[in-house]
Amino acid sequence: MSDTEGKEVSDKEKEHSEEKEMDTAKSPKPRKTPPSSGKSSPKKPGSAKSGTMTPKSPAGSRGRATPKSKGKREEIKMETPAPEEEEDATLPDHCEPIFLSSKTQTIFSCVCDSDVTKENRFKIIPKAAILEDLHNRAGVCDFHPIKNKIIEYPGEEFLLVYDRDFKFGQNFYICFSEETKEKLLHPPKKEGEVVEGEGGVPGEEAEDTTVYKYVPPQSKEWVSHGSEKEIKEESVVEMRRRLKVSVRRKRKLFGAPCKFTDRNVGDAKDGYVECTSYKDKTFDLQKIELDKGIQAIPWFMDSGTQTEWKYPRNANTQYYPREFSQHEQQEILKKKQTGTFMDGVCPRFQLALQQNEIMDVFFNDWLNLGEADNTFGSKADNHLKEYQSFADLQFSKEKKITDIQWHPTIKGIVAVSVAEKLTFDERIDNASKVIMTPSLILIWSFTDPINPQLFLEAPDDIHSFQFCPSNPNIIAGGCQNGQLVLWDISAHADRLKQPRGGNRNKRATVLPGFEDPNALKTPIVRYCAVSSIENSHHAPITDIMWLPDHVEINRMGVPQENKGFESCQIFTCATDNCILVWDTRPTKGPQQQQQGAKPKDKDGTKNPIGVPDTFKHLDLTWKPMLKVHLHKSEPGGDHAPTKFSIAEKQGDRGALSKATDGGVPDKEASVTGGYFQSGKPGSGREKRTLQTVKTHFFVGTEDGEVVYVDWMPQKDQDTGKIQTPKPDFYHTMHDGPIMTVQRSPFFMDILLVVGGWNFTIWKEAVVSGPILQSAPNPIRMTSGFWSPSRPGVFYISKVDGSVDVWDLLDKTHEPSITQSVSPSAITKIYPHAVSHKQHLLAVGDSSGTLHILEIPWSLRLPAPNEVTGVANYFEREVKRRGFVVQRWDFREHEKRELEAEAKKKAGIAPNVLLTDEEIEYRLKLEYQTYMEAEGNFLRELGITKEEEPLPQTYSVTQFLSDTGTQRHRNSVSRYPVTGFISD
Amino acid sequence: MSEVEETIKRIQSHKGVSGIIIVNADGIPIRTTLDNSTTVQYSGLIHQLAAKAKSTVRDLDPQNDLTFLRIRSKKHEIMVAPDKEYLLIVIQSPNEV
């Protein structure tokens, strides 16, 4: 830079002298421009500017251009005002000269020569300010004449230019177009740039800010910049005279004949001039390295497509099948074509049809092949598999499970009752402890094997309980102390129904800070009714059963239709020699009045322990409605029942259809729908008696007897009291208390009885004894249960913790499977069909653990025709039983004969000849029966009175006995009759 | 009794025959032993199937033709005999055979 500056300085000195000589392209231009500037547009300074900006780059190549341009610049600088003034001589487009008074100037702060000067001519005035001024001063305002233009102006700010020299007639002119405004505002920049350039600072910053607009180039008049001189230099011009050359040859040589001979090229020196190659020393070629870069970029393309959105719409169409009318059909059928068609086609059909008739070719043999193989024991998978086990450390450990019940409707819910493992004496000794520990029924869910879902609290240990078949939220249980307890778990039914453990997701629904601390605790449900202790059993209730919902019995034990189809009667049995029947509905009489007053209590006082008052009417006052006392047929005590089984089955409504009308249907009873509270046991007249319901039932006793008795009380012949009749029969077949009396789910007259060391199977109509009696097992049996799906299978549990599976069709002398399940004695088993694919066996042991075992498919799926097979088996057994009885008679007879023979041989009077005494006795008996019949006959006719005949008959008989002959008896017997009549 | 009725009776007398339908070339039932809705359904659907089967057979060999179609299902067998103008459908339940 300093170099060029130095040059500049030196150049400047020469400037003036050289200026005249140097006829460069640029120097004359500024001088020439003035005349042309008149024509050129205001762009002209722009082009001049571009000229001034060039010097830097060509500086090196055009050695002297810089000083020249410098000089030119100075000239430009000096001259700039002039062209501008000259430019302004024409008013720019869209401008309007305007005179602003001094007042206006002060308002808009554009006072001449102070705010605006010649150099700083521009003033920006906002449109709003002018409009305000127009408004304020109206006609006085200097802008008034151009008011319209101001209002129309699109921009926000006006450019006001100071016209000092009144070139356009006024002191200011105003700009009405943005373009002009731009143009006017920009040129001054050029001035600033030149100034900067002079200061030696490159005007790059200024350049950067300039917004370049593309102005299409316009053709201009050609201006000579000196190029014509260069062209002139290039062209060839004759500068000197042309040279003249003369060539001569002898005349004789012209046209002389040529003689060509061969010669060696190498020898010839005169024939050619050799130009040998040599290294040119002046040649200098510089290698220049060149950096070049190339980059390939992928092509980018923007494209778009759009699909049309169609709204889904409902559309429909309707059609009806084409059909021929009756007439048309007939027409077609009558055609000959139809007939021929049918004839032609018929044989094919007959062939096909016959083929199918003869044999089903598509019969799948494979599907029907394996079935016979499924019999028990043929496959490996026939063992009970442990599925789950439940034990509560606090409440069931070290206690024995007394009863198990599956929930009738909710899958995976099983309830167990637990009791202390104490003998009667121990119980008395530890009475204080026993009283303090709660007696509970635990309800378990498969979802939570740790915590029971529900506890049912009882006044004493429960030995037997059952869900109400029509309402599974009602549970009846029998206590150790003989009381009958009822629970209503309706409030907790949701808890049981929850698919996951009832207490897990409870928290989520509770607001933070309001969590129930007991949310995770298993709720304890208090019993809602307990029977009156005076009227209850006097021994532990060993068996309990709800009467099926279609039947109810009245106080006389007559089975009647239950219109409500709600189970409301309970059978219980205990070892106090009786079976009691309870009704859950309120009894008539004074209690009914109580019931009327009840609704008030319901709303007002809520039961403090949260006990639902479903059975409030029963609590502590509940009495049995029927008592079945089990007398023994012969004197010497009564039967002490432990289990019983009645013939009616829940869900079997067959008895209803055969019911006989016992009176007018009880409309009232059917209208009042309410169940336990509103329903009342109607009188016998209103309800239909169910004749087909068997009132005889089987009872298993503590002494191992099986008793068959009618629960309907009858008038006793001896005492005249109405009481339970003597049992029809009883047999002692077991060596210990009966633990199970259960009817087969497939055959209602077949019963399984388990007790002591063996089990027996009974058929209801066979009175002589069991149709099957097992051999005594070395281990005592504790309970038994029929398989719910296989008619010939039942399960027997034993005290050594094992379960026997018996399949009557497989073998009857020993169990098909014996499997050990628990280390302690099993107290109760209960198989349950959870689903078609899954059967579970609940096993309760004496250590309080409930084992759930999965029943293998071989024990689950009945073999084909198993029902008929088992039925045939039972039939055979019944026949065998008949034969046994026959043999008994035969043996008896034989025995008697043998005895007689023995007597004969011993010389005692022959058995055939009767002594006189004997004959007389027989005759006496015969006569007595005759007299009785006669008396009855006469009484029926109303001929005789009640008292009279008896003593007389007696006297006659006495008399007769004295005479001792039949003839006499006959004649005399007629006598009193006639005598009576004559009397 | 017309020829048609006789034939129908003859077919009906076979074991397990549960229905006979005569359908015209357009799939409109002419004579049926079934109830109306079943007939309409059978005739409409079987007609289409038979037409398709017929075209298949003829496409494979233009000189060949479909004479009889037997459809064996789980419950029954449907036999179809197509002709130029008519279609005879017989439904037989072989399980009851």
Side-chain angles (χ1 to χ4, degrees):
Chain A
M1 195 67 190
S2 58
D3 225 20
T4 46
E5 264 180 340
K7 245 183 183 176
E8 270 175 53
V9 174
S10 58
D11 285 343
K12 268 181 188 171
E13 286 167 15
K14 296 173 190 173
E15 201 174 10
H16 290 288
S17 56
E18 280 175 358
E19 211 168 333
K20 284 165 194 169
E21 294 169 17
M22 299 286 283
D23 191 21
T24 58
K26 280 157 197 176
S27 56
K29 190 192 121 195
R31 278 182 209 152
K32 278 174 190 170
T33 39
S36 70
S37 69
K39 289 173 199 169
S40 69
S41 67
K43 274 172 212 159
K44 195 72 195 173
S47 63
K49 173 190 156 195
S50 66
T52 57
M53 281 165 67
T54 43
K56 261 185 216 164
S57 49
S61 58
R62 298 223 176 170
R64 301 171 74 174
T66 318
K68 266 181 257 162
S69 71
K70 196 74 221 170
K72 184 203 82 187
R73 241 186 257 163
E74 274 167 23
E75 279 164 9
I76 289 166
K77 195 213 159 187
M78 276 152 53
E79 283 166 5
T80 35
E84 267 181 18
E85 274 162 345
E86 277 160 13
E87 268 170 34
D88 292 346
T90 54
L91 187 69
D93 302 335
H94 309 292
C95 285
E96 190 90 13
I98 187 170
F99 180 81
L100 297 184
S101 64
S102 58
K103 193 177 180 199
T104 318
Q105 283 171 22
T106 45
I107 287 169
F108 293 107
S109 60
C110 53
V111 183
C112 294
D113 296 323
S114 64
D115 288 323
V116 284
T117 56
K118 199 186 172 196
E119 282 77 30
N120 187 13
R121 303 179 297 154
F122 303 101
K123 178 72 193 175
I124 304 285
I125 300 171
K127 183 181 178 180
I130 295 176
L131 287 173
E132 198 188 4
D133 188 55
L134 273 168
H135 182 70
N136 287 343
R137 298 198 295 165
V140 195
C141 179
D142 292 323
F143 296 104
H144 186 68
I146 51 163
K147 186 182 174 183
N148 284 341
K149 283 192 175 182
I150 286 166
I151 291 163
E152 277 162 25
Y153 180 61
E156 283 307 311
E157 284 167 330
F158 287 99
L159 178 70
L160 199 64
V161 186
Y162 177 46
D163 191 1
R164 192 176 167 244
D165 305 325
F166 287 76
K167 257 183 258 171
F168 306 114
Q170 302 294 356
N171 60 347
F172 284 92
Y173 59 92
I174 191 160
C175 196
F176 286 113
S177 103
E178 286 291 323
E179 272 176 60
T180 327
K181 183 173 144 189
E182 265 324 277
K183 273 179 203 161
L184 286 170
L185 280 170
H186 276 298
K189 266 185 189 163
K190 174 201 75 194
E191 272 180 20
E193 218 172 78
V194 174
V195 171
E196 276 168 16
E198 238 177 355
V201 182
E204 275 159 19
E205 291 105 4
E207 271 172 28
D208 286 343
T209 54
T210 326
V211 180
Y212 290 101
K213 269 189 188 168
Y214 174 72
V215 182
Q218 285 172 344
S219 56
K220 286 172 278 213
E221 209 177 330
W222 185 77
V223 180
S224 166
H225 286 190
S227 57
E228 76 274 14
K229 199 181 173 189
E230 283 173 25
I231 294 165
K232 219 175 198 172
E233 281 170 5
E234 288 298 313
S235 58
V236 181
V237 181
E238 279 183 346
M239 300 292 286
R240 56 180 170 86
R241 281 185 58 182
R242 290 180 189 173
L243 297 171
K244 282 182 183 175
V245 180
S246 165
V247 180
R248 282 189 233 183
R249 199 178 185 191
K250 279 180 183 170
R251 175 76 175 92
K252 63 175 180 184
L253 289 177
F254 282 99
C258 292
K259 193 185 172 186
F260 298 103
T261 52
D262 289 337
R263 69 173 190 182
N264 194 356
V265 178
D267 300 337
K269 292 286 180 205
D270 55 338
Y272 67 100
V273 181
E274 194 181 23
C275 299
T276 50
S277 59
Y278 65 98
K279 195 176 178 183
D280 186 4
K281 277 178 185 154
T282 60
F283 184 78
D284 185 24
L285 186 71
Q286 275 186 322
K287 284 184 183 171
I288 298 169
E289 282 189 9
L290 191 67
D291 275 341
K292 266 197 179 175
I294 189 159
Q295 196 177 12
I297 56 154
W299 281 62
F300 287 101
M301 197 164 70
D302 280 339
S303 67
T305 180
Q306 203 174 9
T307 50
E308 204 180 336
W309 167 247
K310 299 265 193 207
Y311 286 95
R313 262 187 313 167
N314 289 334
N316 58 58
T317 178
Q318 204 176 7
Y319 73 96
Y320 60 92
R322 286 190 292 167
E323 275 174 40
F324 285 122
S325 69
Q326 204 77 32
H327 182 70
E328 280 172 320
Q329 283 186 353
Q330 287 304 321
E331 285 289 296
I332 295 167
L333 285 174
K334 271 177 198 159
K335 275 192 203 165
K336 209 178 169 212
Q337 282 178 311
T338 326
T340 46
F341 159 72
M342 287 298 277
D343 276 348
V345 141
C346 189
R348 293 175 219 163
F349 278 100
Q350 283 189 322
L351 184 75
L353 291 168
Q354 267 170 3
Q355 275 178 6
N356 282 341
E357 271 175 57
I358 292 161
M359 189 187 160
D360 185 6
V361 276
F362 295 98
F363 182 77
N364 194 342
D365 291 320
W366 293 108
L367 281 183
N368 300 293
L369 190 67
E371 210 145 49
D373 215 23
N374 288 356
T375 43
F376 190 63
S378 61
K379 293 276 162 88
D381 176 35
N382 54 9
H383 284 275
L384 301 166
K385 279 181 298 241
E386 178 95 30
Y387 184 74
Q388 210 160 9
S389 69
F390 298 103
D392 190 277
L393 289 176
Q394 193 184 349
F395 297 111
S396 76
K397 199 122 180 117
E398 297 312 316
K399 291 185 181 185
K400 75 170 184 204
I401 288 178
T402 53
D403 202 359
I404 304 170
Q405 290 287 327
W406 290 87
H407 195 283
T409 53
I410 305 170
K411 280 183 186 174
I413 299 287
V414 61
V416 291
S417 59
V418 290
E420 300 284 350
K421 280 197 286 189
L422 298 171
T423 61
F424 187 71
D425 290 336
E426 283 170 337
R427 212 178 167 82
I428 291 167
D429 292 344
N430 296 316
S432 56
K433 186 196 155 209
V434 170
I435 287 169
M436 289 312 286
T437 53
S439 305
L440 297 170
I441 290 178
L442 282 65
I443 299 184
W444 292 98
S445 168
F446 283 6
T447 53
D448 192 347
I450 310 292
N451 302 306
Q453 297 299 299
L454 219 54
F455 291 122
L456 306 184
E457 194 194 29
D460 207 342
D461 284 350
I462 296 291
H463 282 256
S464 182
F465 69 101
Q466 201 190 16
F467 286 95
C468 173
S470 58
N471 181 0
N473 288 328
I474 306 293
I475 298 166
C479 288
Q480 167 96 18
N481 63 6
Q483 279 179 302
L484 179 62
V485 192
L486 284 170
W487 288 272
D488 183 359
I489 55 163
S490 311
H492 304 275
D494 287 343
R495 194 183 161 85
L496 298 180
K497 275 177 198 155
Q498 275 171 8
R500 293 179 61 76
N503 42 19
R504 271 180 217 163
N505 38 16
K506 223 165 207 181
R507 258 194 197 171
T509 55
V510 184
L511 285 172
F514 291 90
E515 290 105 341
D516 184 4
N518 294 327
L520 285 171
K521 254 174 82 181
T522 306
I524 295 177
V525 182
R526 222 182 110 88
Y527 52 90
C528 60
V530 63
S531 63
S532 145
I533 199 153
E534 298 85 19
N535 296 300
S536 300
H537 285 289
H538 305 300
I541 295 180
T542 51
D543 200 5
I544 189 166
M545 203 205 75
W546 287 84
L547 204 62
D549 58 6
H550 60 279
V551 96
E552 63 174 77
I553 63 172
N554 67 4
R555 288 187 172 278
M556 290 308 292
V558 181
Q560 288 176 326
E561 179 188 19
N562 183 354
K563 291 223 161 116
F565 288 114
E566 296 274 11
S567 289
C568 54
Q569 289 182 329
I570 305 166
F571 275 69
T572 57
C573 84
T575 48
D576 60 348
N577 309 332
C578 62
I579 290 169
L580 300 179
V581 183
W582 310 74
D583 198 309
T584 56
R585 295 168 298 189
T587 49
K588 280 188 193 170
Q591 280 175 340
Q592 225 172 11
Q593 290 156 11
Q594 268 184 12
Q595 192 198 335
K598 194 172 279 168
K600 288 174 210 160
D601 303 348
K602 235 186 201 172
D603 305 323
T605 54
K606 185 105 174 138
N607 210 321
I609 329 163
V611 176
D613 45 10
T614 324
F615 297 110
K616 208 176 171 190
H617 54 275
L618 298 172
D619 201 12
L620 295 171
T621 59
W622 202 8
K623 289 175 191 162
M625 57 173 285
L626 178 68
K627 183 172 182 176
V628 181
H629 196 92
L630 296 170
H631 307 279
K632 256 190 180 159
S633 307
E634 62 264 23
D638 296 322
H639 297 293
T642 53
K643 295 282 168 187
F644 64 92
S645 168
I646 68 164
E648 258 333 270
K649 196 161 89 170
Q650 167 68 20
D652 179 18
R653 302 275 155 88
L656 290 180
S657 55
K658 291 167 197 153
T660 52
D661 263 326
V664 194
D666 183 9
K667 270 181 195 161
E668 200 196 338
S670 57
V671 170
T672 53
Y675 169 32
F676 296 111
Q677 285 173 356
S678 61
K680 38 193 158 141
S683 61
R685 273 174 293 137
E686 292 158 338
K687 289 171 179 166
R688 294 191 299 167
T689 307
L690 301 177
Q691 301 287 16
T692 52
V693 172
K694 276 196 186 120
T695 54
H696 282 74
F697 66 121
F698 278 92
V699 179
T701 69
E702 207 174 13
D703 305 323
E705 300 144 331
V706 174
V707 183
Y708 189 62
V709 70
D710 188 356
W711 75 58
M712 227 173 358
Q714 282 167 9
K715 193 170 176 183
D716 190 72
Q717 284 182 332
D718 298 334
T719 57
K721 259 165 74 183
I722 293 180
Q723 61 175 28
T724 314
K726 293 219 157 74
D728 289 32
F729 65 84
Y730 76 92
H731 295 281
T732 312
M733 287 291 170
H734 296 270
D735 313 318
I738 303 276
M739 307 304 283
T740 299
V741 178
Q742 199 205 6
R743 276 168 205 265
S744 162
F746 294 90
F747 310 99
M748 281 321 287
D749 53 351
I750 300 289
L751 288 101
L752 171 70
V753 179
V754 178
W757 282 260
N758 64 347
F759 70 85
T760 49
I761 292 177
W762 300 73
K763 190 170 163 72
E764 193 147 5
V766 179
V767 297
S768 59
I771 58 171
L772 177 71
Q773 182 181 15
S774 75
N777 196 292
I779 300 144
R780 198 156 60 83
M781 297 172 175
T782 54
S783 89
F785 213 105
W786 286 99
S787 161
S789 55
R790 289 195 57 186
V793 173
F794 54 88
Y795 305 91
I796 301 270
S797 65
K798 295 184 292 187
V799 284
D800 66 344
S802 63
V803 173
D804 282 353
V805 184
W806 288 76
D807 186 351
L808 293 176
L809 289 186
D810 185 32
K811 39 193 168 183
T812 54
H813 64 287
E814 61 176 8
S816 296
I817 300 179
T818 302
Q819 194 174 338
S820 184
V821 171
S822 167
S824 47
I826 296 175
T827 53
K828 185 87 187 171
I829 55 170
Y830 196 146
H832 178 66
V834 179
S835 67
H836 183 66
K837 287 269 174 78
Q838 194 182 38
H839 289 200
L840 298 175
L841 178 66
V843 177
D845 64 18
S846 56
S847 61
T849 310
L850 174 69
H851 302 269
I852 306 287
L853 305 169
E854 198 165 6
I855 296 171
W857 62 270
S858 54
L859 292 174
R860 201 173 69 213
L861 298 173
N865 300 325
E866 186 168 334
V867 182
T868 40
V870 175
N872 289 339
Y873 168 73
F874 287 140
E875 219 158 275
R876 282 200 300 278
E877 288 299 320
V878 170
K879 272 185 196 153
R880 185 191 62 82
R881 194 71 228 172
F883 176 72
V884 167
V885 172
Q886 206 183 320
R887 291 302 288 178
W888 278 355
D889 291 350
F890 180 76
R891 291 285 172 209
E892 190 75 13
H893 192 236
E894 205 179 44
K895 199 173 147 192
R896 227 178 285 155
E897 269 180 7
L898 280 171
E899 270 176 13
E901 202 122 321
K903 274 181 189 171
K904 222 186 214 172
K905 276 181 185 166
I908 306 167
N911 205 16
V912 202
L913 296 170
L914 293 171
T915 56
D916 282 346
E917 243 178 67
E918 273 179 321
I919 295 168
E920 196 183 294
Y921 179 70
R922 284 191 183 179
L923 285 170
K924 213 199 278 179
L925 271 177
E926 208 177 311
Y927 182 64
Q928 213 165 349
T929 50
Y930 166 74
M931 283 309 289
E932 245 176 59
E934 193 184 50
N936 282 342
F937 175 70
L938 291 171
R939 221 176 295 143
E940 265 173 34
L941 290 173
I943 296 166
T944 52
K945 276 166 196 165
E946 200 70 37
E947 282 83 27
E948 283 172 350
L950 281 169
Q952 280 206 5
T953 341
Y954 178 70
S955 63
V956 169
T957 10
Q958 254 195 342
F959 160 75
L960 232 169
S961 63
D962 290 340
T963 59
T965 59
Q966 196 172 348
R967 218 184 139 178
H968 273 107
R969 201 192 69 196
N970 281 346
S971 60
V972 174
S973 69
R974 249 176 240 135
Y975 164 66
V977 173
T978 45
F980 291 148
I981 294 166
S982 63
D983 281 345
Chain B
M1 199 154 53
S2 74
E3 215 170 347
V4 176
E5 291 302 317
E6 268 175 46
T7 320
I8 287 176
K9 211 174 174 189
R10 202 155 61 229
I11 293 170
Q12 187 93 60
S13 69
H14 282 273
K15 268 191 219 165
V17 172
S18 56
I20 302 165
I21 309 164
I22 305 172
V23 184
N24 81 345
D26 297 327
I28 306 168
I30 298 163
R31 173 74 171 86
T32 180
T33 61
L34 293 167
D35 65 289
N36 195 36
S37 61
T38 323
T39 305
V40 164
Q41 215 168 9
Y42 264 104
S43 51
L45 295 169
I46 296 293
H47 171 257
Q48 285 182 35
L49 182 67
K52 185 78 193 163
K54 196 182 175 95
S55 79
T56 308
V57 171
R58 294 186 74 140
D59 281 355
L60 291 168
D61 178 3
Q63 282 163 354
N64 204 352
D65 202 356
L66 180 74
T67 59
F68 202 57
L69 180 65
R70 293 174 71 170
I71 303 151
R72 186 63 168 234
S73 62
K74 247 194 236 172
K75 287 184 183 167
H76 41 236
E77 177 162 317
I78 305 166
M79 301 170 197
V80 189
D83 203 338
K84 257 178 237 155
E85 286 178 51
Y86 301 104
L87 201 70
L88 181 64
I89 304 168
V90 174
I91 299 136
Q92 189 187 22
S93 307
N95 293 351
E96 292 161 24
V97 168

